[in-house]
Amino acid sequence: MRSELQVRLDEEALARPGGREDAGAYLVRLRADPCVTGYHRIPSRPARFVELPDDLHPAVVRFLAERSVTRLYSHQGECYANVRAGKDTVVLTPTASGKTLCYNLPVLQGILENPDRRALYLFPTKALTYDQLDDLIGWSSALPGEIGVHAYDGDTPPDARPAIRSRAHVVLTNPDMLHTGILPHHTKWTRVFENLAYIVVDELHTYRGVFGSHLANLFRRLERICRFYGSAPRIICASATIANPGELAEGLTGRPFTMIAESGAPEAEKHLFFYNPPVVNRELGIRRSYVKETRRIAAAFLRMMKGAIVFANSRLVTEILVRYLKRDIPPPPGGADRVVGYRGGYLPRERRRIEQGLRDGAIRGVVSTNALELGIDIGSLDVAVLAGYPGTVASTWQRIGRAGRRAGSAVGVMVASSAPLDQFIVNHPEYFLGQSPESGLINPENIHILISHLQCAAFELPVGEDERFGGHDVGEILEYLSERGFLHKAGAKWHWTSESYPANAISLRSIGSDNFLVVETTGEARVIGEVDYSSAFQTLHQKAIYLHQGQQYYVDDLDVEERRAYVRAVDSEYYTDAITHTDVRPLEIAGRDGPHHHGEVHVAHQVVGFKKIKFATMENVGSGELTLPTQEMHTTAWWLGIPRTVFGALECSSSERLDGVYGLAHALGEIACVFLMCDPKDLGTSIETGLDGTPPEIPAADGPTAQPEHEPTIYVYDNYPGGIGLSRPLYELRERLLQETRRLIGSCACDSGCPSCTGPAMGAKAPALAILDALIDGGTC
């Protein structure tokens, strides 16, 4: 294992003039590094072509020829044939395989044949919308007939909107704008809806969880509008690799789909490395910082003049890495930065400038959250370095696929953090390589989401008393809304009577409130970014250090009512990390088996303080207390009560017993993500110690109020209001979940517990294993 001295010598050698290492030699040395736990080479693959369709318009053929396209990839030809035959189609092929042409070709051909036809393109982000708009404008200028191509979103000037509604043949938008700005005003879009022939859903795999559950209900509303205007559009979906694209497309739209899964596009050779930072304290199981190792590896490639993208799993780590890499790769004298950050919260103009800089090569390196996972054109990059496991197999392949998008070979390096999930993947690379991508899970029947969209549907068009919404009888919900004064029944129809505008109160991406604007007050006040409601309390609390493009800003004030945070530029040696407290209370039990339960719970989050973490050493150099508003939600959970007999029999002190429970909860939460194949942020964990002797009453679903026969309780809850269906599978997998958690903790090389198994609670390993042994071997599993 390399020592700290050897690491520093490597860095100094690469930093010296003439010390730049050949990329091939560096890969050989990296492969031989004892920290590399796995290496996998994906060979290049040639393209498989089909001839251009015979019925293509001559102008389309000419434009393709100008782009050196004389044949189609096999999946493009198959999609064209399906859509022309009137089939709803989903295309499942890797990143950079030419999915855009799969839908552009049949749509534009159809409009050339009948100029009255209209198409609606849905993209999950504005950035992707404008990236595709540039491509379609090129098509429009080359084809006859003045095909109108326009983006329609919150950035569209009000005076341009009437012309778009009347003249656009292809409208590019996002689900949020469809939800708030198009469907509620469908009477202004009569020409589009009467002639809507095609709906394109790009990046289908992003529509899972809450976002996907909302989109399924949005499609129910869209289908009502289309039926009202007499149109029956074909739907074309494009997706990166997931396990259930057909099922997801059908769940979102309520229609059967034809699936295309064989890609005909060529694939560049890829070298994939699994890297586990070296142990610096074996007794405590502490490894070298994965952030610093990511910095070192990314800087080495950047110094070799290789274009690199670094993915981080949080905004904070993104900004820390930007700060580090800007120091390692300074700009030329008087020149612009060669390394930049990219994440949600940057203003649109800044994001588009970064995208253009990546395409033209002015920017060599970018550090991003998942914002660049999607198919935005960022040019040709050579290396993708992942700072931590993204949480899903699908996201990992998406991120690795951002390198080598055009030609040549590419490199992907996953640098594991000390989190148990990361350690499981990096120590079992064969599991990752042999695992199919995750399924996209949605729950359109979430009662919170369903009621919200039924209100929107009633606002758009009266609801018939026998009308079904998504195949469901919603009579009871309509009666409920009538009692609350939203609806009135006249004859056989329910009419919207409230003065409110229901779509404005519903966020498709969460069940929260508006974003916070970040206002810099160093000089003349200006808005530099925005942060979503739930994250604002953790990143924009008073006295926080807010990071933007590596620059530190001190937060002077957080105005919750006005949704604004006021910051000023500072030069700080530390950043801040919020401390949150979560309280969970059971509401109703849906299932019970010994100490295992699943059902409905109330969750309350509150930011109660913060830590000051020094940049260079990552040491805690201070803290502070906070009192911020509590965020509450009603959701579902699986919970494990530790029986009093088990807890009392542990041969250790009370504090060590609790450490064992906290360590067990940490490991259970991580392993749960593996079994559900979900993103870690989809689940939350919490512990109620029950040591005050008055455990809360739990209303049972099928009996009297129950007093739990246990003290500490571990909750693993669905991290979305109303739940999206993750807690019940955990309850059903309870025995295997405990067994695999015992294997994870037991196989860890540490002595008493470490971040790789039981988390930050030192000394938690023995009591956590003792609890698991008692639950599994004692028959209470």
Side-chain angles (χ1 to χ4, degrees), residues 194-374:
E194 285 180 341
N195 298 282
L196 190 60
Y198 308 99
I199 298 173
V200 171
V201 182
D202 200 11
E203 306 290 353
L204 175 76
H205 60 282
T206 64
Y207 299 110
R208 55 185 180 137
V210 166
F211 194 19
S213 302
H214 275 294
L215 188 70
N217 282 281
L218 189 63
F219 260 103
R220 292 169 177 175
R221 290 162 52 195
L222 177 58
E223 192 270 337
R224 290 182 80 233
I225 299 294
C226 289
R227 189 168 62 245
F228 177 77
Y229 286 100
S231 61
R234 295 296 92 202
I235 302 177
I236 312 167
C237 299
S239 175
T241 304
I242 55 173
N244 64 334
E247 177 188 347
L248 179 59
E250 292 172 9
L252 289 171
T253 65
R255 297 188 185 185
F257 275 76
T258 300
M259 188 172 74
I260 300 171
E262 288 293 324
S263 173
E267 291 187 16
E269 178 186 53
K270 280 190 172 64
H271 302 271
L272 178 58
F273 296 86
F274 295 83
Y275 184 92
N276 205 10
V279 175
V280 295
N281 186 321
R282 185 164 296 280
E283 181 181 354
L284 298 178
I286 297 174
R287 295 182 177 274
R288 192 168 192 258
S289 165
Y290 81 101
V291 175
K292 289 186 176 180
E293 290 293 88
T294 300
R295 169 193 185 181
R296 185 180 63 81
I297 293 170
F301 281 111
L302 287 167
R303 291 189 182 108
M304 296 174 211
M305 306 303 291
K306 299 295 181 183
I309 182 168
V310 180
F311 281 103
N313 294 332
S314 70
R315 295 179 177 186
L316 178 60
V317 174
T318 298
E319 293 293 349
I320 291 171
L321 282 167
V322 171
R323 178 181 170 88
Y324 285 160
L325 289 171
K326 281 186 175 181
R327 289 180 177 179
D328 296 336
I329 314 295
D337 287 328
R338 294 186 291 181
V339 177
V340 299
Y342 188 103
R343 60 171 175 80
Y346 288 3
L347 298 179
R349 182 179 299 177
E350 184 177 10
R351 289 200 303 267
R352 287 165 199 162
R353 176 183 59 79
I354 294 169
E355 293 158 16
Q356 184 58 45
L358 287 166
R359 284 194 292 268
D360 61 27
I363 296 172
R364 285 223 323 266
V366 60
V367 185
S368 176
T369 57
N370 62 354
L372 282 179
E373 261 186 41
L374 305 182

Side-chain angles (χ1 to χ4, degrees), residues 582 584 658 661-663 665-666 685-689 712-715:
T582 302
V584 181
L658 277 180
V661 175
Y662 279 100
H666 183 79
T685 58
S686 182
I687 297 169
E688 297 299 321
T689 62
T713 303
I714 298 171
Y715 293 89

Side-chain angles (χ1 to χ4, degrees), residues 595-608:
H596 299 272
H597 306 74
H598 85 88
E600 298 183 14
V601 296
H602 175 268
V603 179
H605 298 285
Q606 186 177 27
V607 177
V608 296

